[in-house]
Amino acid sequence: MKKIIMLTTGGTIASQQGKDGLAPMVRGEAMVQMIPKLADLCEIEVREVMNLDSTNMQPEEWVQLAVAVAEALPECDGIVITHGTDTMAYTASALTWMLQNLRKPVILTGSQRPVEHPQTDGKQNIYDAFCAAAAGRPGVYIVFHGRILRGCSARKVCTENLDAFRSINEPDVGMVCDGQVTFDTESKFDQEAEFHLDTSLDTRVIYLQLYPGFEPEILETVIEKGYRGMILAGFGSGGVPFHHRNLLPAIEKAIQSGIRVIITTQCQQEGTNLNLYEVGIRAAKLGCISGETQTPEALITRLMWELGHIQ
């Protein structure tokens, strides 16, 4: 029987009604006891890492969680992390970069309804997450509503629907149905590389969504405030306006000052292409980097991680 360590961080799944609304209060051991069939699946150890609504999850908590994962990995066959849904995709992406060369599964899950709710989805999601962890496929994944999603390609797309997460610009990794785990894609990892923890982050990154009327002075302020990375969500395949409110001079100034500028798209599917329209080509010629098919969560966390390695 495999040993799976469950790390808890709070979130809706652990929430109860308080005087100011739902807040995480239920401990991990209590959640496990609510799912008796887990006892037949694997040996479980629960470790409480933090107890936060995921809206309050910050890069400092990503590092704390990554360290907890790294400490637990030698003692188990896989890890399940219970987490709030609102920023789960950010945490999953951040862990993807910080947990280098994973040789075991790290599965994040949560719920849209608290685990004590009569119609909770939490119990099933936890069970599915343990099934996926016991299956042994290395990597960081989100397991939710039966879907297995790669951590750095998942997004929360619904605020209430139980099927709340989607894989963006790539297929689901697999599914869990009635305890049976099926993988639809091949596992790709370097079998020779050793696992190591790398929590270097520079949070001086800003994400801005462009809109008609966006003023160039906003980008000037970003330069003045000392940011090192800027992600601009452009129009369509990554268009940046240069008519009336021309953003290109401010972008060029940002790049010349050492800021890494990435252009992504506001569209959820099919990604960025800066080589198609003049409004993208001009930005690319200045030195802007294409966000390609990555999600905003993946771009933000990866840029923080990459800048953390540059003095």
Side-chain angles (χ1 to χ4, degrees):
M1 184 174 285
K2 292 187 175 181
K3 178 179 179 179
I4 307 297
I5 291 179
M6 176 175 164
L7 304 179
T8 66
T9 68
T12 295
I13 196 165
S15 289
Q16 293 176 333
Q17 188 67 39
K19 64 182 181 67
D20 294 319
L22 288 171
M25 302 178 193
V26 181
R27 297 183 64 83
E29 290 283 1
M31 288 192 280
V32 169
Q33 291 172 7
M34 295 178 196
I35 313 168
K37 58 184 177 180
L38 283 175
D40 298 324
L41 180 64
C42 57
E43 178 188 348
I44 298 172
E45 179 184 339
V46 178
R47 299 181 183 180
E48 310 278 347
V49 181
M50 62 193 76
N51 202 29
L52 293 174
D53 185 304
S54 72
T55 294
N56 286 321
M57 191 78 74
Q58 299 286 321
E60 292 80 4
E61 279 71 43
W62 299 340
V63 171
Q64 182 182 351
L65 185 55
V67 170
V69 170
E71 291 175 348
L73 280 172
E75 306 172 37
C76 64
D77 299 293
I79 290 175
V80 168
I81 301 170
T82 55
H83 194 289
T85 59
D86 290 347
T87 63
M88 187 188 296
Y90 287 96
T91 300
S93 291
L95 290 178
T96 299
W97 318 130
M98 292 192 289
L99 302 173
Q100 291 284 298
N101 304 318
L102 262 178
R103 309 303 299 273
K104 296 174 183 178
V106 175
I107 311 293
L108 289 89
T109 196
S111 68
Q112 293 285 69
R113 298 171 184 167
V115 71
E116 294 179 340
H117 190 283
Q119 285 83 45
T120 184
D121 54 328
K123 295 177 185 179
Q124 187 64 53
N125 285 342
I126 289 175
Y127 182 72
D128 289 348
F130 272 94
C131 289
R137 176 166 169 153
V140 177
Y141 304 99
I142 288 177
V143 170
F144 210 92
H145 200 68
R147 299 177 184 271
I148 305 175
L149 313 174
R150 199 160 70 100
C152 58
S153 67
R155 291 208 83 187
K156 185 178 181 182
V157 297
C158 299
T159 59
E160 296 184 10
N161 192 298
L162 302 188
D163 191 8
F165 285 82
R166 289 291 184 277
S167 182
I168 305 300
N169 292 320
E170 64 176 72
D172 292 359
V173 172
M175 63 182 296
V176 186
C177 183
D178 296 327
Q180 298 299 311
V181 179
T182 304
F183 293 111
D184 298 326
T185 63
E186 294 184 3
S187 178
K188 298 178 182 179
F189 70 100
D190 187 346
Q191 297 187 12
E192 302 300 323
E194 292 187 5
F195 167 77
H196 68 277
L197 176 68
D198 186 341
T199 60
S200 299
L201 294 176
D202 189 330
T203 62
R204 290 174 289 176
V205 169
I206 191 166
Y207 178 92
L208 296 170
Q209 179 167 306
L210 303 185
Y211 53 84
F214 189 100
E215 296 288 351
E217 288 78 9
I218 298 173
L219 302 184
E220 296 280 354
T221 301
V222 170
I223 300 171
E224 295 168 4
K225 292 295 184 181
Y227 285 91
R228 297 185 66 204
M230 181 192 309
I231 301 168
L232 299 178
F235 303 108
S237 58
V240 177
F242 55 80
H243 179 61
H244 290 315
R245 297 167 181 83
N246 185 359
L247 301 185
L248 297 182
I251 289 174
E252 183 176 22
K253 182 178 178 180
I255 292 172
Q256 289 177 347
S257 70
I259 296 175
R260 188 177 298 188
V261 180
I262 298 175
I263 306 295
T264 187
T265 174
Q266 297 174 29
C267 301
Q268 189 148 275
Q269 299 288 344
E270 299 178 348
T272 308
N273 183 354
L274 299 183
N275 300 312
L276 186 59
Y277 294 96
E278 182 182 7
V279 289
I281 291 172
R282 284 198 181 194
K285 285 182 176 179
L286 296 177
C288 293
I289 303 165
S290 172
E292 300 180 337
T293 59
Q294 295 183 81
T295 65
E297 294 89 346
L299 285 171
I300 291 166
T301 55
R302 183 169 183 172
L303 186 54
M304 286 182 179
W305 185 78
E306 289 179 347
L307 291 174
H309 296 79
I310 302 173
Q311 299 296 323

